[in-house]
Amino acid sequence: MAFASLLEHVGGMGRFQVVSVLLLALPVLMMASHNLLQNFTAAISDHHCRLRWEANATGLDPQDLLRVSVPHGERCRRFVTPQWWLLEANGSAPNSSWPETEPCRDGWTYDRSVFTSTIITEWDLVCSARGLKQLAQSLYMAGILVGGIIFGGLSDRFGRRSLLTWCYLQMGAMGTCSSFAPTFTVYCLFRFLTGMAFSGIILNSVSLSLEWMPTRTRAVVGTFMGYCYTTGQFLLAGIAYAIPDWRWLQLTVSLPFFCFFLYSWWFTESARWLVMVGKSHQALKELQKVARINGKKEEGDKLDIEALRSYMQNEMASSRSRHTVIDLVRTPVVRRISCCLCFVWFSTSFAYYGLAMDLQHFDFNIYVIQLVFGAVDIPAKLISILTITFVGRRFTQCVALFLAGLAILANILVPRDLRTVRTVLAVFGKGCLAASFNCVFLYTGELYPTVIRQTGLGLANTMARLGSITAPLVKMAGEVFPALPFIIYGAAPVVSGLAAIFLPETRNLALPETVEEVE
C-alpha cells in the first residue's frame, strides 16, 4: 500500500486539504509583487542634468533656461556655458561649431509626474551608472538560485513546515529592510536575501501542499497555485499605481508576510517526510489530526505504527537507495533528457524575464502593460493544458518555444512608432513563454524516474535561475547595439525548441520508477 491510499483513508481532499491550499495560496499572490517589483521601483523617468542657474536669477522661464543649458534630448551632458543664441529664432552658434559640453557634475533633475521616487532617482542610477539597475535585478535572481540550493537541502533535514515558517519571516523582514536601505549596496544585499526567501517559500509551499494532496487532485492544486501567481501580477499593477513611491511600495508588498508567518504555525508537517526521517510517532499524530479535521476521527484512531509502516513501506524502501546528480548524466537516454531540459528551462526563464522586466521598452502606460502581461497568462495556460492533455507534451513544448522566439525576433523588425503592433507581439511572446513554463513543470516530473526526480527538478530549477540572472545582464548589451538583447532573447527559445524535439513523449504513460525503465 502507498501513502496515497493512506491519504484517502484519512479523508482524501477534505477540509484540511482545502484550508491548507488556501492558506498556502495567499503568499503566492504576493510572489509576483517581489519578482516583478523592479518594473516599478526601478522605473526610469525622463531626466536631464541639474542646472547651475536658477530661473528666478536669470529672469527666464524654466523651459528657456533648460534650452540654453542642456542640448535638446540629451540626458547625460550639459553645456559648459549658457548658449543664449538658442533663444533666437534664427540663431546660430557664435563660432559655427557645436558648443562644448560636460557631464552632469551636479546631478540630475527627474520628471516625477508618474513615479514620485524610485531607486533610480534615489541613487542616480542613470548614464554611466545605468547598468546598476540590471545588476540589482540579477542579484535578486542570484538570491533565488542560492535559496533554492540552501533551503531545498535544509527542508529535507529540518522539515517543510519549519523552513516555510522561517522563509515567511525572512521575506517580510528583508523586504522591509530593503524599503529602509540607506545605500544602493545595502539595498542589493537585502534584495539578495529576499530572493533567497522567495525560493524557500516556493519550494516548501509546493512540497507541503502536494505531499498532503491525493493523487487525483494534484494537477488541480498545481494549476490553482499557478493562477494565484498570475492574479498576483494584476495585484502588483494596482498596488504600484496607488503607491508611486518606491520605499512605500516595497514596504507594502513585504508587510503581509509577517501575517503569513503568524498563521504558518498552524500548518501540519508532511507525514511523508516525518516517516522518511524516522519520526513515525509524530507522523501518526499528524495523520490523526488531519483525520479529525476531515471528519474521519474513527479511521484516524484505528491507525497505529505498524499500519503506518505498512502503508509507507515502498517510500521507506526508496528512501534507503542513494542517488546523486551524476545519475542525471550516467546513462544515454537520461543524459539526453537532462541536456534538452537544461536548454528548455534556461531559455524559457531567460526570455520570460527578458520581456517581463523591461515593460518601459514598449512606450505604453506601464501599469496597463503589467495588467496585459498578467492577463495573457490566463488563456496561455488554459490552451497549454488542453494541448498537453489531448495532443502531447513534446508538441506543446516545441510549439510554445518556437512561437515565443519568433514573436520576439519579429518585434525587432517593427518600427518603434508602431507601438500597438510591438506590444501585441511582445504580449503574444510572453504568453507563449508562460505556456512553456506550464508545460515544462509537468514534463520534467514525468520524464525523470522517481529515484532521481527531485535531483532532476533541482537541476531544472538551477538552470531556470541562471536564465533569470543572465536576462538583465544581457540587457546591458543594448548599449552597444540596441537590437542585440532581443536577438538573443528570441534566438534562445528557438534553439531550445529544436532541442525539445529530442525529448520522449510522456502522454498517457505511467511515471517511470527507475533509471532502467527510462532507458
Side-chain angles (χ1 to χ4, degrees), residues 211-268:
E211 288 177 6
W212 276 115
M213 292 301 129
T215 303
R216 68 179 187 278
T217 61
R218 285 181 182 175
V220 176
V221 170
T223 303
F224 175 71
M225 289 290 192
Y227 275 119
C228 283
Y229 184 87
T230 297
T231 305
Q233 296 183 53
F234 295 116
L235 191 63
L236 173 61
I239 295 173
Y241 181 78
I243 307 173
D245 183 283
W246 81 269
R247 290 188 183 272
W248 283 105
L249 177 58
Q250 177 78 49
L251 185 63
T252 301
V253 300
S254 301
L255 289 178
F257 285 91
F258 290 110
C259 296
F260 306 147
F261 164 73
L262 291 176
Y263 75 58
S264 67
W265 293 94
W266 177 86
F267 290 146
T268 300

Side-chain angles (χ1 to χ4, degrees), residues 7 25 30 43 61 98 117 158 199 242 271 276 342 373 402 460 471 478 485:
L7 282 178
M30 303 302 296
D61 64 57
W98 189 250
S117 175
F158 297 106
S199 197
M276 294 295 187
C342 281
F373 265 41
F402 274 131

Side-chain angles (χ1 to χ4, degrees), residues 5-141:
S5 302
L6 182 57
L7 282 178
E8 295 294 343
H9 185 72
V10 296
M13 189 66 182
R15 284 193 297 269
F16 169 81
Q17 280 78 9
V18 171
V19 173
S20 294
V21 168
L22 291 176
L23 292 179
L24 288 168
L26 284 176
V28 175
L29 281 172
M30 303 302 296
M31 292 285 95
S33 295
H34 281 276
N35 238 13
L36 305 175
L37 190 61
Q38 275 201 199
N39 275 328
F40 303 97
T41 58
I44 300 176
S45 305
D46 286 335
H47 55 276
H48 58 76
C49 292
R50 184 172 294 138
L51 309 182
R52 289 174 295 188
W53 311 280
E54 296 295 335
N56 57 7
T58 60
L60 296 175
D61 64 57
Q63 288 302 316
D64 286 339
L65 182 63
L66 178 64
R67 187 176 178 186
V68 302
S69 304
V70 178
H72 180 69
E74 179 59 60
R75 291 183 166 191
C76 300
R77 300 187 70 83
R78 67 184 182 187
F79 292 124
V80 175
T81 58
Q83 302 301 306
W84 307 112
W85 60 274
L86 289 171
L87 298 178
E88 302 171 13
N90 298 312
S92 59
N95 56 3
S96 300
S97 62
W98 189 250
E100 186 180 358
T101 60
E102 63 181 2
C104 303
R105 294 173 180 170
D106 299 315
W108 288 262
T109 299
Y110 298 92
D111 177 6
R112 300 179 186 271
S113 60
V114 178
F115 301 99
T116 58
S117 175
T118 66
I119 65 169
I120 305 298
T121 62
E122 182 95 9
W123 294 303
D124 288 333
L125 306 183
V126 293
C127 298
S128 61
R130 58 183 172 269
L132 294 179
K133 171 190 172 180
Q134 311 299 340
L135 176 63
Q137 182 65 17
S138 287
L139 287 173
Y140 169 76
M141 292 298 181

